[in-house]
Amino acid sequence: MSDVEVTEVKWLWKPYIPIGKITIIQGDPGEGKTTMILAIASAMTTGDVLPLSKEALECSNVIYQTAEDGLSDTIKPRLLAAGADCTKVIVIDESHKELTLSDKRIEEAIIETNAQLLIIDPLQAYLGSGVDMHRANEIRPIFKNLSNVAERTGCAIVIIGHMNKAGGTKGLYRGLGSIDITAAARSVLLVGRVRADPSIRVMAQIKSSLAPEGKKVAFKLDEENGFAWIGEYDIELDELLGAGSTESVLKRAEKLIKEVLDDGAKASDYVVEKAKEKQISQRTLKTAKKNLEVKSIKTKEGWKWQL
């Protein structure tokens, strides 16, 4: 290790998308994964600023490969709606030969165009025929090679993936295929919708190997207004995963408040800390407080909550 040179992690969007590494964005069909990544790609082509980021992106080329949506009737209209510079969005020609994650054309295209972002949408379409995505021994060499391509070229590689139907399962285990797929990624992002308002979608980071996990980021997506970033958003992860309803999360919060305040008033900071231990967000805690008509009392020691 004495011969290993220490290097600093570089970011396309800290801490969500590292440069020279693999990032996976997963979610159920129709949740807005593609629209969101196209908004990010568009920002790359114009040097725009992404939510919760202090610095503008470096204006650069983007390679976008999709097997699900038409380039002329879906992808380009979305790029134009997002204000992209379409001269900087490049597609590898698959008319004569389909692309796979093991294809040498990926690295060649990144080097030739100096692209800083490569998007593969979706994962299942680019593994190659004969590859069983559930077999670790078949997946590992593919992702090892792709990781090496990302590192050699300094390109951020983002792969879009669908999720399985395993309700109640941790987010990392909801991705289709072998767990080695998510293990190879340095960052895994989950996109889901808010049940109370389906037009609001939220991106949550469920794996972050290179930095502390980022805050949840929301965007609005509807037919009338299209796509628009909202910014930081407070929501329970299990609500996005569909593992529990908003009501059940509220019930847990209400139960916690009753237990904590049962024998008298407690410091508000203490209640919030107890909620954090139970993975209950401040937004949910405030709603539960309102439902239970909990009073805030100012004392010499500070603010307290009382039933």
Side-chain angles (χ1 to χ4, degrees):
M1 288 302 295
S2 62
D3 297 327
V4 176
E5 182 181 350
V6 175
T7 57
E8 183 181 353
V9 178
K10 296 181 180 180
W11 299 91
L12 187 152
W13 185 15
K14 189 175 181 179
Y16 308 105
I17 303 178
I19 290 173
K21 310 292 181 182
I22 294 175
T23 297
I24 290 176
I25 300 177
Q26 61 187 35
D28 292 325
E31 297 295 86
K33 302 183 298 299
T34 295
T35 304
M36 185 189 77
I37 195 60
L38 286 175
I40 295 171
S42 299
M44 285 281 295
T45 67
T46 57
D48 206 348
V49 180
L50 292 172
L52 309 188
S53 180
K54 297 179 181 179
E55 299 180 359
L57 293 167
E58 179 184 347
C59 187
S60 63
N61 290 334
V62 174
I63 298 174
Y64 183 78
Q65 292 301 126
T66 180
E68 289 194 335
D69 296 304
L71 297 180
S72 62
D73 60 10
T74 304
I75 301 303
K76 186 166 184 178
R78 288 182 181 177
L79 287 169
L80 292 174
D85 178 354
C86 288
T87 65
K88 288 181 165 47
V89 182
I90 296 136
V91 179
I92 300 172
D93 184 11
E94 296 188 65
S95 59
H96 299 293
K97 181 184 178 183
E98 291 186 350
L99 194 73
T100 70
L101 296 183
S102 304
D103 200 313
K104 293 181 179 179
R105 288 179 293 170
I106 289 178
E107 185 168 5
E108 291 171 354
I110 293 171
I111 294 171
E112 182 180 336
T113 63
N114 195 30
Q116 298 299 298
L117 174 63
L118 165 69
I119 302 163
I120 300 290
D121 184 10
L123 164 65
Q124 292 88 325
Y126 290 94
L127 286 173
S129 60
V131 175
D132 187 340
M133 66 188 302
H134 298 90
R135 291 183 176 274
N137 63 324
E138 296 184 25
I139 289 298
R140 284 174 187 165
I142 292 174
F143 275 83
K144 176 66 174 177
N145 175 68
L146 195 63
S147 296
N148 290 338
V149 170
E151 191 167 344
R152 284 196 299 266
T153 60
C155 180
I157 297 180
V158 175
I159 300 174
I160 310 297
H162 298 315
M163 297 172 71
N164 61 43
K165 304 296 184 182
T169 306
K170 287 185 177 181
L172 282 175
Y173 295 89
R174 288 282 312 276
L176 288 179
S178 169
I179 188 62
D180 289 77
I181 294 172
T182 50
R186 300 299 84 200
S187 175
V188 179
L189 308 173
L190 169 77
V191 177
R193 70 178 69 205
V194 178
R195 295 187 178 193
D197 185 351
S199 68
I200 297 178
R201 318 297 170 86
V202 178
M203 181 197 79
Q205 189 168 37
I206 57 176
K207 177 184 177 181
S208 181
S209 300
L210 305 173
E213 287 182 3
K215 297 177 179 178
K216 298 178 182 69
V217 179
F219 58 92
K220 202 168 182 68
L221 184 62
D222 57 48
E223 291 185 10
E224 185 177 346
N225 301 304
F227 177 96
W229 291 110
I230 294 175
E232 184 181 342
Y233 200 86
D234 185 17
I235 190 173
E236 302 287 345
L237 182 59
D238 59 359
E239 185 181 344
L240 291 179
L241 287 169
S245 68
T246 306
E247 183 182 7
S248 67
V249 176
L250 278 172
K251 290 296 182 186
R252 286 198 292 116
E254 290 172 2
K255 182 180 178 182
L256 173 74
I257 291 174
K258 288 177 181 178
E259 290 175 351
V260 172
L261 304 183
D262 184 53
D263 58 349
K266 296 290 191 305
S268 58
D269 289 345
Y270 176 78
V271 183
V272 170
E273 190 60 37
K274 286 294 181 182
K276 281 184 179 179
E277 292 175 6
K278 298 290 185 180
Q279 296 183 326
I280 297 171
S281 69
Q282 288 193 41
R283 178 189 293 267
T284 303
L285 190 66
K286 287 179 180 178
T287 303
K289 179 189 176 187
K290 183 178 179 181
N291 290 350
L292 295 174
E293 298 182 353
V294 173
K295 296 178 181 179
S296 292
I297 303 170
K298 191 174 184 180
T299 68
K300 292 180 180 179
E301 294 82 22
W303 286 97
K304 291 185 176 183
W305 286 14
Q306 185 178 54
L307 284 170

